[in-house]
């Protein structure tokens, strides 16, 4: 079993030991990947906060258009330069954070690998400006570029990457190859040909061999855009090989020892299906998978009471014929006058009374905050007046139904998780309990980090 994994049992997936992973000084890069909307940014930030508290010098690279990370870390804004999070290094470590500026990263590459005159021409080119701001796959490619830059500086002993919120989690791995294919494609080679031939020969080649194609492209793209593209390709010619070389180097870095992938998902079919695809892709690419972080998992501290029993108890309370309202006791009428089935009703009433006790505990995990005080402050059922008893029964029935809904959610999430683990029993899993609200500060990130380290949902 690899570092960062605890063996649990034959029927249970191994538990992801997050603290062990963070404490391992051989781990230099952690990549949080997964589908959009599953909590990758929060997970990456919480890992960074916890790593700093455990003595690591960490930097978190995020690609988050909502800018939640800066707000939660108490920073006014994040940009393409790592900024120190002042209050996150209480354990002797340090935490820096940055948010990828896709265009600025592209500009930095041009400025670093072209002479001043050519760099100015490229940066001013309209086609380049469009390409650097929104070409499909550019964001993912630039995230890889920035990762390579951070690793080369060696200023941090841990880099945590929050991958882009792509339509597919696989885009992070595919983007460099797609951009390389674009740069190597026939269209680019055709546009580069006149510049490569040069002089009158080049013009002759363009006029004779490409007149038909150029005319067609001019109609499709417009003569001005075609000229911009040709100028851009001519200026970038010597840099194309550098893009491919750096992309290949970063890809190898992701495969190397010291890199750990965390697949982040929610306990929902679509998210776990995407996670399964990514697990299989990582295995095919021989990239090191540390485990699965399953976010927003629901638990209950009263899971002894099943959904079925809770609903039955709620129905008994709402029917009103099971409890003797005059005496406040159930099943104690004159035995001779009791109709057949009285014993069954008394048993159901006892279950309802037990359900009241469990409901108060279940309320805390079912997300209700208003009803609990009323239930706690109302006199016990045996001594309350008829009106108070009806109120208590109504509140208790509502709590029981909330508990039943929570237990149904838990059961559905477990079935979904079990389908994933049956396909990938070797993947270590850390389940993170669902929080009552959004994470908006360092205290919230620390709480998420504690749940990550525990690896199991609260009440489970």
């Amino acid at each position: 079993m690899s570092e960062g994994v605890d063996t649990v049992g034959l029927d249970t997936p191994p538990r992801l030991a997050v603290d062990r992973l963070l404490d391992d000084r051989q781990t230099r890069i952690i990549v949080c990947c997964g589908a959009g909307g599953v909590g990758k940014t929060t997970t990456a930030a919480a890992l960074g906060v916890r790593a700093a508290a455990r003595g690591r010098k960490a930097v978190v690279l995020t690609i988050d258009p909502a800018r939640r990370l800066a707000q939660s870390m108490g920073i006014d804004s994040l940009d393409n330069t790592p900024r120190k999070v002042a209050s996150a290094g209480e354990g002797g470590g340090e935490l820096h954070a940055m948010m990828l500026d896709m265009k600025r990263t592209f500009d930095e590459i041009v400025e670093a690998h072209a002479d001043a005159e050519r760099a100015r021409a490229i940066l001013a080119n309209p086609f380049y400006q469009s390409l650097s701001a929104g070409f499909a796959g550019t964001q993912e490619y630039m995230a890889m570029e920035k990762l390579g830059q951070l690793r080369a500086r060696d200023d941090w002993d841990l880099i945590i990457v929050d991958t882009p919120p792509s339509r597919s989690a696989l885009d992070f791995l595919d983007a460099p190859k797609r951009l390389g294919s674009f740069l190597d494609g026939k269209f680019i080679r055709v546009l580069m040909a006149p510049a490569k031939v040069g002089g009158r020969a080049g013009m002759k080649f363009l006029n004779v061999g490409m007149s038909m194609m150029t005319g067609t492209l001019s109609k499709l793209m417009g003569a001005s855009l075609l000229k911009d593209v040709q100028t851009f390709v001519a200026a970038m010619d010597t840099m194309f090989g550098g893009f491919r070389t750096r992309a290949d180097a970063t890809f190898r870095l992701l495969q190397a020892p010291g890199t750990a992938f965390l697949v982040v998902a929610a306990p929902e079919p679509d998210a776990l299906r995407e996670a399964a695809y990514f697990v299989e892709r990582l295995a095919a690419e021989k990239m090191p998978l540390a485990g699965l972080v399953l976010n927003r998992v629901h638990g209950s501290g009263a899971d002894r009471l099943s959904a079925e029993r809770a609903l039955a108890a709620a129905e008994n309370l709402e029917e009103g014929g099971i409890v003797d309202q005059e005496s406040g006791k159930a099943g104690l009428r004159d035995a001779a006058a009791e109709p057949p089935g009285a014993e069954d009703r008394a048993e159901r009433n006892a279950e309802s009374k037990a359900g009241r006790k469990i409901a108060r505990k279940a309320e805390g995990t079912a997300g209700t905050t208003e009803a609990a005080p009323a239930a706690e402050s109302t006199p016990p059922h045996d001594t309350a007046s008829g009106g108070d008893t009806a109120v208590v029964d109504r509140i208790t029935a509502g709590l029981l139904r909330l508990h039943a809904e929570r237990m149904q959610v838990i059961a559905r999430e477990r079935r979904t998780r079990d389908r994933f683990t049956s396909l990938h029993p070797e993947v270590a899993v850390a389940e993170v309990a669902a929080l009552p609200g959004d994470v908006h500060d360092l205290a919230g990130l620390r709480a998420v980090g504690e749940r990550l380290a525990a690896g199991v949902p609260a009440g489970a």
Side-chain angles (χ1 to χ4, degrees):
M1 191 65 63
S2 62
E3 289 291 327
V5 174
D6 282 337
T7 303
V8 178
L10 294 177
D11 299 328
T12 306
R15 186 173 67 85
L16 176 62
V18 170
D19 282 348
R20 192 184 305 170
L21 178 67
L22 295 176
D23 292 343
D24 182 6
R25 295 287 170 163
Q26 300 300 315
T27 302
R28 302 296 303 276
I29 297 173
I30 295 177
V31 181
C32 298
C33 51
V38 296
K40 290 195 305 292
T41 298
T42 301
T43 298
L47 287 170
V49 170
R50 192 163 185 84
R54 299 179 73 84
R56 299 297 297 267
K57 189 175 181 180
V59 59
V60 176
L61 167 62
T62 186
I63 303 93
D64 181 19
R67 303 179 185 271
R68 293 187 302 273
L69 182 61
Q71 297 170 1
S72 64
M73 291 185 170
I75 300 175
D76 292 336
S77 63
L78 291 177
D79 53 24
N80 220 36
T81 302
R83 297 180 181 274
K84 187 174 181 179
V85 182
S87 56
E90 298 174 353
E94 292 183 11
L95 178 62
H96 293 74
M98 63 179 297
M99 185 168 66
L100 179 72
D101 184 329
M102 180 176 64
K103 187 178 187 312
R104 183 60 210 151
T105 301
F106 211 151
D107 292 349
E108 290 172 353
I109 296 170
V110 172
E111 292 167 351
H113 295 90
D115 58 70
E117 182 178 352
R118 179 171 291 193
R120 284 194 297 271
I122 294 172
L123 297 179
N125 184 277
F127 180 74
Y128 166 79
Q129 293 172 359
S130 298
L131 175 70
S132 60
F135 186 77
T138 303
Q139 187 179 51
E140 290 81 1
Y141 178 87
M142 291 305 152
M144 298 275 273
E145 281 274 359
K146 184 56 70 174
L147 171 59
Q149 292 175 12
L150 293 174
R151 185 66 180 86
R153 288 174 57 179
D154 209 30
D155 290 337
W156 302 275
D157 59 27
L158 180 62
I159 302 169
I160 301 171
V161 182
D162 164 34
T163 55
S166 308
R167 179 188 58 82
S168 168
L170 301 179
D171 287 348
F172 182 67
L173 296 179
D174 289 335
K177 293 182 178 179
R178 286 205 309 269
L179 189 59
S181 299
F182 169 73
L183 298 178
D184 283 332
K186 293 180 179 179
F187 177 67
I188 293 295
R189 290 201 302 270
V190 166
L191 293 176
M192 286 171 59
K196 283 184 177 294
V197 176
R200 293 184 177 179
M203 291 304 297
K204 182 178 181 181
F205 174 83
L206 178 64
N207 291 333
V208 176
M210 295 183 61
S211 58
M212 184 177 298
M213 178 178 291
T214 303
T216 303
L217 290 174
S218 295
K219 291 179 181 178
L220 292 174
M221 303 170 60
S224 177
L225 176 57
L226 180 59
K227 183 178 179 181
D228 291 338
V229 173
Q230 289 175 321
T231 304
F232 164 77
V233 170
M236 290 283 289
D237 181 22
T238 58
M239 296 182 58
F240 287 163
F243 280 103
R244 289 188 293 272
T245 300
R246 288 189 301 277
D248 291 342
T250 305
F251 202 81
R252 289 192 298 272
L253 180 64
L254 294 176
Q255 294 174 315
T259 297
F261 279 83
L262 288 177
V263 178
V264 184
E268 301 167 358
D270 289 344
L272 278 172
R273 191 178 302 116
E274 190 82 6
Y277 291 152
F278 207 100
V279 167
E280 293 162 6
R281 173 65 184 278
L282 290 173
E285 298 286 356
K286 295 182 173 56
M287 292 188 173
L289 173 65
L292 171 74
V293 174
L294 198 58
N295 275 330
R296 303 168 190 159
V297 177
H298 293 87
S300 173
D303 55 4
R304 291 180 297 108
L305 180 63
S306 68
E308 292 77 10
R309 289 181 59 202
L311 287 174
E315 290 174 1
N316 289 342
L317 288 170
E318 290 169 344
E319 285 174 3
I322 293 170
V323 177
D324 186 346
Q325 301 291 349
E326 293 182 1
S327 63
K329 300 183 182 296
L332 296 181
R333 293 186 180 90
D334 184 354
E338 287 181 351
E343 292 182 2
D344 292 341
R345 289 198 301 275
E347 182 179 346
R348 291 197 303 271
N349 179 62
E351 187 174 82
S352 298
K353 291 176 69 178
R356 292 189 188 96
K357 297 179 181 179
I358 298 177
R360 285 194 289 269
K361 187 175 183 181
E363 176 273 335
T365 60
T368 303
T369 57
E370 300 293 337
E376 296 286 353
S377 61
T378 305
H381 180 75
D382 291 88
T383 59
S385 65
D388 289 339
T389 299
V391 172
V392 172
D393 287 350
R394 226 173 16 250
I395 293 173
T396 303
L399 293 177
L400 286 167
R401 290 190 179 279
L402 284 175
H403 176 72
E405 291 176 5
R406 168 59 63 88
M407 295 305 296
Q408 290 166 350
V409 169
I410 292 172
R412 184 171 63 250
E413 290 179 351
R414 286 176 178 169
R415 288 194 301 270
T416 304
R417 180 205 63 189
D418 290 346
R419 281 196 293 269
F420 174 88
T421 56
S422 66
L423 293 173
H424 302 283
E426 77 288 353
V427 177
V429 179
E431 297 186 6
V432 183
L435 295 174
D438 291 335
V439 176
H440 59 274
D441 55 17
L442 277 174
L445 291 175
R446 291 190 183 98
V448 173
E450 291 171 0
R451 286 165 169 77
L452 276 166
V456 292

